[in-house]
Every structure is written in structure tokens, then in C-alpha cells.
Amino acid sequence: MSQPAAKPEDPSFEDAMARLEGIVEAMESGKLPLEQMLEQYEQGSRLVRLCTGKLAAAEQRIELIARNAEGTVETTAFDPSAKPEEPAAPPPRRTRAATPPPKEDNDVSLF
């Protein structure tokens, strides 16, 4: 699913966020008449969709750079749903088995 191309009149992500913050402040002030409140809400909804689309497009372009086991650099596509890698658990400690009690003289065992 591709994102629609940005229209020439679309603000940058930062400008859209700044405008959105201004709209939120104006709406929270409680000083806007109902009609202006609705207009601000509609404009805010458009800005939220615009910012969400810009973020989705940016996520598609992000590549994580990681070194593989051989030390060479490889790129991996960004997966926003992936969990951060946790450090590998240390290998389990090997313990020596308890020495079995000595066997009776007439009991022969190869092991």
C-alpha cells in the first residue's frame, strides 16, 4: 500500500506539527465559538492524517545497519513491529555428575 505523493501545498512534518499544537491550544482555551471549534477540529484531523502519512513514509525508508557475525555491514529493512533484540542468554553451566557410589566387587560395569 503506497502513500499518496505530497501535494505542493502540504506543509512539512514539522510545520504541520506546529500548526496542530496551535490548534490544540486554541481548542483547549475554550474561547473559540462553536463554528470555529469545528473548523479547527477538521483542520486538525487533516493535519493528523498528513503527519501520520509522512511518518509511515519515513518508516518505509529507514534501514537499520548492523554487522553480521563475519563483521561485514548489511542493511535490514526497518520493521516497526519488531521487538528490540535482547542480549543472548549465557549458555547453561555444565556441572559434573555426582560420582556414583562404588559398585560391589562382583558387579562389573563398563561405564
Side-chain angles (χ1 to χ4, degrees):
M1 185 163 99
S2 64
Q3 296 292 327
K7 299 174 193 167
E9 66 271 3
D10 281 349
S12 69
F13 176 81
E14 293 76 12
D15 290 342
M17 285 298 295
R19 286 173 54 188
L20 191 54
E21 288 173 3
I23 288 171
V24 170
E25 286 177 20
M27 290 178 73
E28 288 178 343
S29 74
K31 297 179 181 177
L32 293 177
L34 180 60
E35 191 60 36
Q36 279 186 322
M37 181 85 75
L38 291 171
E39 289 172 6
Q40 293 291 303
Y41 183 84
E42 289 173 354
Q43 184 179 10
S45 294
R46 284 191 297 272
L47 289 169
V48 166
R49 282 192 303 276
L50 175 75
C51 289
T52 302
K54 287 182 181 279
L55 285 174
E59 283 179 350
Q60 291 175 355
R61 293 174 46 200
I62 294 173
E63 289 183 337
L64 300 176
I65 298 175
R67 293 197 180 272
N68 64 16
E70 290 80 35
T72 59
V73 176
E74 62 183 25
T75 59
T76 308
F78 176 73
D79 181 3
S81 64
K83 294 181 181 177
E85 288 187 28
E86 295 181 13
R93 297 181 74 188
R94 290 185 174 201
T95 57
R96 290 185 4 178
T99 306
K103 304 227 182 226
E104 305 249 347
D105 288 339
N106 55 357
D107 188 16
V108 178
S109 174
L110 297 177
F111 299 104

